[in-house]
Amino acid sequence: MVKFSIKNLNAWFNSTQVLDSINLEIITHEILGIIGPSNSGKTTFLRMCNRLNELESFFRMTGEVELDGENSNQIDSQLLRKRVGMVFALPLPLPLSIFDNVAYGARIHGETNRKKLADIVELALTEAYLWEEVKDRLNSSAFKLSGGQQQRLCIARTLAVKPEVILFDEPCSGLDPISTAKVEDAMLKLKKNYTLVLVTNNVKQAARVADRTAFFLSGKLIELDKTEKIFTAPSHQKTDDYIRGKFG
């Protein structure tokens, strides 16, 4: 089943074109990895999925982004961003307790019952594989967590509003290998209930967790295929050169 359908997508910041005629589908309950060198349009594409780019006054686009068959531009932006959550490269916990960080989104959307909030927080932290590490200090400041724990806290905060899709923008770029492994483990388990899109500069990470991988270069989608094929027998020489580290 198709979750996102991207049709002839073009995007510009001022006069600079950053996405050029992108056509692809994102399948429900898959992890789609997106790789490519800097300035290839990866993050811009990711932000197209929940319309974050439109917050920039000098941004414009043509083409369509459909979520479950509906043009995303026709969906209320707040509702869209509830359905399509995003985890950024650097963990950005709020200056609140661990509990209040996770409960924040649910409260914004109107939940006030303390018991329901507690259940939401526990479930989200469990899904983010952080509950066992923090369950005895939920009232402690989120800033007391390690970098890897803070990133999983941000994942939990996203999960708490019950999204359908989670966008990851280089979520492990500042993490050590152990923390990276925990985030990747969480992603692999989350795809049972969510659709995940992962932008990463670490091609080995895409190889480890993505079901399919897309290679972007200079705003163009060069290749999209099953991850195993992308990394063992890519169809395009540029894909092979990038994976082998010949440029990027």
Side-chain angles (χ1 to χ4, degrees), residues 24 32 79 111 165 175 246:
L24 65 83
L32 175 66
L79 175 59
E111 185 58 71
V165 182
L175 303 185
K246 293 184 177 181

Side-chain angles (χ1 to χ4, degrees), residues 71-244:
N71 190 320
S72 65
N73 285 331
Q74 304 302 315
I75 303 173
D76 176 80
S77 60
Q78 287 191 337
L79 175 59
L80 178 66
R81 290 169 194 147
K82 181 178 184 293
R83 294 175 64 187
V84 185
M86 189 158 183
V87 177
F88 297 92
L90 295 177
L92 298 170
L94 302 170
L96 302 169
S97 68
I98 294 168
F99 182 96
D100 288 337
N101 261 270
V102 181
Y104 182 83
R107 284 177 169 143
I108 288 293
H109 290 287
E111 185 58 71
T112 58
N113 183 282
R114 181 73 182 184
K115 175 63 169 64
K116 290 183 179 179
L117 285 171
D119 290 343
I120 288 169
V121 168
E122 180 175 352
L123 177 60
L125 287 169
T126 299
E127 287 189 312
Y129 290 84
L130 188 57
W131 174 253
E132 291 300 325
E133 296 172 40
V134 303
K135 63 182 180 181
D136 296 324
R137 48 181 175 140
L138 294 177
N139 292 322
S140 297
S141 169
F143 293 132
K144 292 183 178 180
L145 299 174
S146 69
Q149 289 174 325
Q150 287 185 13
Q151 190 61 294
R152 281 181 285 147
L153 178 71
C154 291
I155 294 172
R157 191 172 67 205
T158 299
L159 294 172
V161 298
K162 300 180 180 178
E164 301 164 28
V165 182
I166 308 173
L167 311 173
F168 292 89
D169 189 9
E170 300 181 35
C172 302
S173 61
L175 303 185
D176 61 83
I178 293 175
S179 296
T180 294
K182 289 182 177 180
V183 171
E184 290 177 359
D185 187 51
M187 285 192 283
L188 287 168
K189 292 179 174 65
L190 286 171
K191 75 173 183 177
K192 294 178 182 178
N193 298 311
Y194 305 91
T195 301
L196 282 65
V197 186
L198 169 66
V199 163
T200 178
N201 283 330
N202 184 341
V203 294
K204 292 181 179 179
Q205 181 173 67
R208 289 191 295 266
V209 304
D211 297 296
R212 295 188 303 150
T213 296
F215 172 54
F216 278 55
L217 180 65
S218 300
K220 296 179 181 292
L221 173 60
I222 303 300
E223 185 168 358
L224 170 62
D225 213 323
K226 291 181 179 179
T227 295
E228 182 179 5
K229 183 176 185 302
I230 287 285
F231 283 90
T232 58
S235 299
H236 295 266
Q237 186 62 47
K238 289 180 179 178
T239 309
D240 189 58
D241 289 346
Y242 178 73
I243 289 171
R244 292 175 182 275

